[in-house]
Amino acid sequence: MSATTKARRDTPPEEATAKAPPPVTERSSVAEKRDPGKAPPAATTPFLLDFFPLEGPDQTRLARFFERLKEGLLCTTRCPRCGALHWPPRVACPACHAEDLEWIDLPSTGRIYAFSAVLAGAPLGMESDVPFAVGLVDLDGVPLRIFGRIDGRPWKELDIGSAVRVEPLPLADGRVFYRFRTVD
Amino acid sequence: MSAVRRVAIVAGATTPFGVRPTTWSEMAQEIGAALFRAEPELRSEDVDSLFVGAAEPERFAFQSHVAPLAAEQMGLTPHRILQRTELACASGQSAIRSAYAAIAAGLSDVAVAVGIEKMNLPSMAEANTSMGCVMDRAWDGPHGATAPPFFAMVAQRHMREYGTTEEQLAAVSVKNHRFANTNPHAQFYSKTFDRAKLARLPVVAPPLRLGDCSSMTDGAAAVVLAAEDRAYRYTDSPAWIRGTGQYSDFHNLAHAGPLTDWKGLTHAAREALGRAGLTIQDIDVAEIHDCFSISEIVEYEAFGWCPRGEGGKFVLDGRSDVGGDVVVNPRGGLLGCGHPLGATGIAQSVEIFQQLSHQVPPSRQAPDPRYGLVHNLSGSANVHSIMIYEGGRAS
Ligand SMILES: [Zn+2]
């Protein structure tokens, strides 16, 4: 998944929060002058894709999702032609293939349908999060069950039916994503 | 359909599976050598087409365009169809299905389907990252979605809805590891597991322990497929492909529906069995996708070997063991053999070929089997792929 596409880090990084994941890798630049007789350093890539989406308006037609998330709200698309409610947000309706979709805000609360926890085998950038809980959450009042990290109470204190709320997750490089957090 | 030709597996081989000090390309050479050793009648010039099942060589071996690389490494010069098939955990079965389609349509006469995967890297976190890309990377991936927590949620719901127990999960793992002790190529050939030992292994994703999960594995497997007029050049006991089916209805985890009812599997099985003119009760031996212990339990139910919710009892009662209703995963399964993504589906078909021709050790031989089945799920059980074989001379 590494690629040399246009850098996404054009936007100045916002102040990182304590929860923000670190960059996937930190490597030295190959552009530094070096003695040609010496062994080359490990190659570096100017841009390395990570798990988080590219979210600027020059990279996705769903930029509004991330803008709204920075305001604290989860939103998605709905099809005005057939009424289908989508997750994740889309640019074309899978049910009727309409392309003129509308944005709607989603409820910020829900209940756990199923959950587990990652106690080992985490991907890059998530090793220091271990152990962490993940689950499928039924959002209140809409027919959507979406997957997400569950912060807050430790996994041993969760149960099917536990209440959670959506919480924006600011990333160190200015992007944003969401997680769930337990409601006390 | 009269133009469709019958197709059979006529030879097969696997490399050892495990954490192996060897590269992707070296394993391609190794499986080529093993295949030609297994079938002395096979000549390189017989093989007109090659299908290469490989899930993530770009990530695990930093190599694209692997089909011609595999051909060169194996000593093959395909001159009709050469392609890679990628379907994550079902990449190997996809190679067989594609070869089958090509031969049935008359575009190929003799084809090799090979699966190769190198998964063990110096950095396990990097390997785990690659596994995370199998999911909807941009939406489920950032939360840490990989296979273990997903299948753990399946287990949690199955336990909640049906009272399935850790003892029943362990029964799958004990059975498949016991079978693996008969298979020198299995990753866990020389390791024994009983219920007490499994219960001492660490929890990976609750309620799943290490022994409930298949491993990161390096390995390769290959089969030769031939048209009906060529099959008996290579063997007296071809494994005829009688049916195949596949179904996919979601990818993002939001659309997984009830986690304990794998409708996609039921649809794919109906398609495959319908094409074969069989029912599930006709199947004597099956290699099904036990990527996790809970998977095999849900699969018993979705195939219809037992009612919904009774998969745990089915295995605990020995009904999926030798002497039961159907022998399931006698090769050792993914739990016992390891799971090199691209190789697994092909190694399963090698086992069915050998089961139907009585070439496996007696301790895992299904009694006089006529029909065998191979099933792979891929990703979050959002795709199911099935093949049905018949041994001997098909009528
Ligand atoms: Zn629509």
Side-chain angles (χ1 to χ4, degrees):
Chain A
M1 297 278 288
S2 66
T4 51
T5 54
K6 187 171 184 292
R8 64 164 180 258
R9 297 182 178 91
D10 295 344
T11 47
E14 291 176 358
E15 195 171 328
T17 72
K19 302 182 300 305
V24 170
T25 54
E26 295 285 359
R27 299 183 201 168
S28 63
S29 166
V30 285
E32 289 169 26
K33 283 194 176 177
R34 60 183 174 82
D35 180 343
K38 283 187 181 172
T44 60
T45 49
F47 175 81
L48 182 72
L49 283 174
D50 60 22
F51 280 100
F52 295 96
L54 299 176
E55 52 193 50
D58 53 345
Q59 286 138 346
T60 174
R61 292 161 62 190
L62 301 175
R64 182 182 164 84
F65 173 86
F66 303 100
E67 290 160 9
R68 198 76 175 130
L69 196 52
K70 284 178 180 173
E71 296 164 5
L73 283 170
L74 198 65
C75 65
T76 194
T77 52
R78 185 171 61 187
C79 179
R81 187 195 289 174
C82 76
L85 181 66
H86 308 135
W87 183 266
R90 301 178 55 105
V91 298
C93 178
C96 76
H97 302 105
E99 294 182 88
D100 53 342
L101 307 181
E102 62 189 12
W103 287 96
I104 64 159
D105 289 334
L106 290 170
S108 293
T109 56
R111 292 187 180 273
I112 294 174
Y113 174 78
F115 70 95
S116 183
V118 175
L119 307 189
L124 284 170
M126 302 183 197
E127 304 106 302
S128 61
D129 297 351
V130 172
F132 59 84
V134 294
L136 282 163
V137 171
D138 287 320
L139 292 183
D140 290 337
V142 291
L144 286 181
R145 175 182 298 158
I146 70 180
F147 181 81
R149 184 82 65 94
I150 302 171
D151 290 333
R153 290 207 304 277
W155 68 268
K156 284 188 175 178
E157 296 175 24
L158 302 179
D159 201 355
I160 290 173
S162 292
V164 297
R165 60 181 164 79
V166 175
E167 185 175 80
L169 175 76
L171 307 182
D173 64 3
R175 287 180 293 167
V176 65
F177 209 61
Y178 66 92
R179 285 183 177 176
F180 295 108
R181 179 169 289 278
T182 51
V183 175
D184 293 320
Chain B
M1 297 292 279
S2 58
V4 170
R5 301 195 294 176
R6 292 188 302 135
V7 181
I9 288 181
V10 298
T14 73
T15 70
F17 283 12
V19 181
R20 301 197 53 205
T22 189
T23 69
W24 196 98
S25 292
E26 290 163 3
M27 284 194 291
Q29 295 180 35
E30 185 182 355
I31 190 59
L35 186 63
F36 281 94
R37 193 162 57 242
E39 182 44 77
E41 297 297 316
L42 183 70
R43 295 169 305 162
S44 177
E45 55 267 34
D46 296 350
V47 179
D48 59 59
S49 298
L50 176 67
F51 298 83
V52 181
E56 296 194 79
E58 286 87 352
R59 291 203 57 88
F60 287 119
F62 195 25
Q63 179 69 58
S64 291
H65 209 201
V66 291
L69 177 63
E72 181 174 274
Q73 303 295 308
M74 296 175 75
L76 296 173
T77 50
H79 51 273
R80 287 191 180 155
I81 301 179
L82 171 66
Q83 69 182 53
R84 167 187 169 190
T85 57
E86 188 278 304
L87 195 64
C89 323
S91 297
Q93 191 188 137
S94 292
I96 296 178
R97 286 167 54 89
S98 299
Y100 165 55
I103 296 171
L107 300 176
S108 165
D109 294 312
V110 177
V112 167
V114 65
I116 308 163
E117 209 77 42
K118 172 70 186 177
M119 298 180 72
N120 286 283
L121 301 173
S123 163
M124 275 309 289
E126 187 161 348
N128 290 327
T129 301
S130 302
M131 297 305 292
C133 297
V134 171
M135 302 293 191
D136 186 345
R137 189 271 306 158
W139 295 95
D140 292 334
H143 299 290
T146 55
F150 175 78
F151 288 91
M153 292 193 297
V154 174
Q156 180 190 49
R157 291 297 313 190
H158 209 276
M159 290 169 146
R160 175 68 63 106
E161 293 166 23
Y162 301 117
T164 298
T165 64
E166 287 193 28
E167 181 185 21
Q168 292 169 338
L169 294 180
V172 173
S173 192
V174 168
K175 168 179 71 72
N176 294 353
H177 278 105
R178 193 193 77 233
F179 280 137
N181 294 145
T182 72
N183 180 353
H185 283 185
Q187 183 160 1
F188 296 106
Y189 169 59
S190 56
K191 288 200 174 167
T192 55
F193 293 88
D194 57 21
R195 168 117 199 274
K197 184 172 175 180
L198 289 169
R200 287 194 300 272
L201 293 175
V203 176
V204 172
L208 300 179
R209 291 177 183 275
L210 194 58
D212 292 302
C213 309
S214 58
S215 299
M216 303 283 257
T217 305
D218 311 325
V223 290
V224 180
L225 296 99
E228 52 194 323
D229 59 329
R230 309 288 182 101
Y232 290 104
R233 291 186 189 182
Y234 303 107
T235 180
D236 295 330
S237 51
W240 296 100
I241 295 173
R242 287 292 307 274
T244 183
Q246 197 169 48
Y247 200 89
S248 176
D249 54 356
F250 75 97
H251 194 248
N252 186 285
L253 297 180
H255 311 127
L259 298 178
T260 56
D261 179 11
W262 292 356
K263 290 189 171 66
L265 195 167
T266 304
H267 287 303
R270 190 175 300 141
E271 170 81 11
L273 289 164
R275 284 181 175 270
L278 300 172
T279 71
I280 195 65
Q281 276 70 37
D282 293 317
I283 301 300
D284 302 300
V285 56
E287 287 282 315
I288 67 176
H289 203 93
D290 59 326
C291 48
F292 296 88
S293 54
I294 185 63
S295 310
E296 188 167 316
I297 287 175
V298 177
E299 288 157 11
Y300 297 147
E301 300 169 10
F303 271 114
W305 277 306
C306 66
R308 180 110 23 96
E310 294 182 17
K313 186 173 186 302
F314 188 77
V315 62
L316 208 54
D317 291 348
R319 293 176 62 187
S320 53
D321 209 330
V322 173
D325 301 23
V326 55
V327 183
V328 175
N329 287 331
R331 182 183 65 110
L334 283 57
L335 290 170
C337 292
H339 181 23
L341 307 177
T344 285
I346 294 179
Q348 290 170 305
S349 284
V350 172
E351 175 72 14
I352 294 298
F353 170 67
Q354 294 179 342
Q355 283 276 343
L356 296 177
S357 52
H358 296 269
Q359 296 177 54
V360 299
S363 52
R364 73 173 200 256
Q365 175 68 56
D368 202 20
R370 180 172 178 187
Y371 298 110
L373 178 150
V374 172
H375 160 262
N376 295 108
L377 66 78
S378 39
S380 49
N382 52 332
V383 186
H384 294 274
S385 307
I386 293 171
M387 303 205 60
I388 294 170
Y389 297 97
E390 179 177 7
R393 290 177 181 272
S395 54

